[in-house]
Amino acid sequence: MSQSIEDHEIDGSDEPDRLIERGPGYRAGLRGLPRSLDISTIGAGVVAAVFGCTGPALIVVNGATDAGLTTAQTVSWVSTVYLVGGFISLIMALYYKQPIVGAWSIPAAALVVSSLADHSLPEMVGAYLTASVLVLLLGLSGFVRTLVRWLPMPILMAMIGGVLFKYALNIVGAAETRPFLVGAAIVGFLLLSRFVKAVPGVIGALAFGIVAAILTDSFASAQIGADLALPTWVGVDFNPLTMLGVGIPLALVIQAENIQSMGVLIAEKYRPPVNNITVVSGAASLLVSGFGGHNASIAGPMTAICGSGQAGPHHDRRYAAAVVNGVIFVVFGFFASIAVGLVTALPGELIATVAGLAMFGVLIIAFRGAFSEGRYKLGALIALVVAMGDVTIFGISSPFWALLAGLGVSLILEFDDFNANSRN
């Protein structure tokens, strides 16, 4: 029988029909945190944070430099997005006891970077505010829950598999560039996965990879700032053309990222608070946009790392990995001028390899969910192909188009599957 998203078990949420979903609460989250902090959850949280604080940070730094932003504006941008992402992780993970990782959208950053050539930073802040309001209203309307409930599970899982597959594929490119470094990381992953099952394999990959990087002198020189720099007020310019041309696509990108992350949690048998994820994403972005940070979302890849088996066998303890990630993000945000210099020293091939290895478990679950039921097969395949193509159209990234294409094909060619699902 084909299952809808709402058929999956509840883990950490109560009264799911409320507009703002209830969870176990902060007292329960804090009380269970010491027991949940073990080598698996801490390791997964660290790996997720290393992933989030390296390549993505460089996208912002390079984009800000190309746009001619000042050092203060660049540091404020980096600081703001990591602070808001970290606090979202702490707020959501502790309240719902789910591995919900707040961050900022990489596709949205790419959209912002490309738009800075034609719009001033205060005009972009106006677009951030527009997108924040749209996402907030979407969450408060309750429509997100209806949308997620209606999405067929195989198509959603195929989209997740397609989006995350590129991270696993990056291992191949990294191995071609630095075979010894990547090989050492893979050996560390295999050894720990086989002989020390209490420790996530990605920890072995990271440890062996760092040793290999030291032996081969693969670390880049770090440009470390000397001062503690906090977010500074940028101001806002409400340009209607920027608000429409950038703000609306930005809102679509953010919500596509949120839905992707919801799918990751659903794949791991959680029932995410879909309305509140959307509300918090919009509200947090609204509060911090004036400091130059673009919109926040729930991070798919990092949620996948913190919510997978890499964070340990205890399903109800993996939220601690998101808490660890959130703490590191907050520290990174407060010390952005120093931290950006440090993370740029890590070999990119090592980060790509560790991140790819961390996706293996989620990919297996996603592909099983996409093609094991026997329904929506063609729609799931189309969603997988489009997501793997990593297309961006009108500034909107592949998760949105993958779902749209998969649903469109299934509605035309597999409509009986929708009828059968509604009868069940």
Side-chain angles (χ1 to χ4, degrees), residues 17-18 45 64 67 84 97 103 134 162 252 259 266 297 318 351 374 390 409 415:
D17 292 330
R18 289 172 55 96
V84 70
K97 295 187 70 175
L134 291 175
L252 293 173
I259 290 177
I266 291 165
S297 65
R318 295 177 187 170
I351 302 305
D390 200 20
V409 168
F415 192 74

Side-chain angles (χ1 to χ4, degrees), residues 115-128:
S115 301
L116 277 170
D118 301 313
H119 306 279
S120 68
L121 185 57
E123 288 176 334
M124 292 301 295
V125 170
Y128 302 162

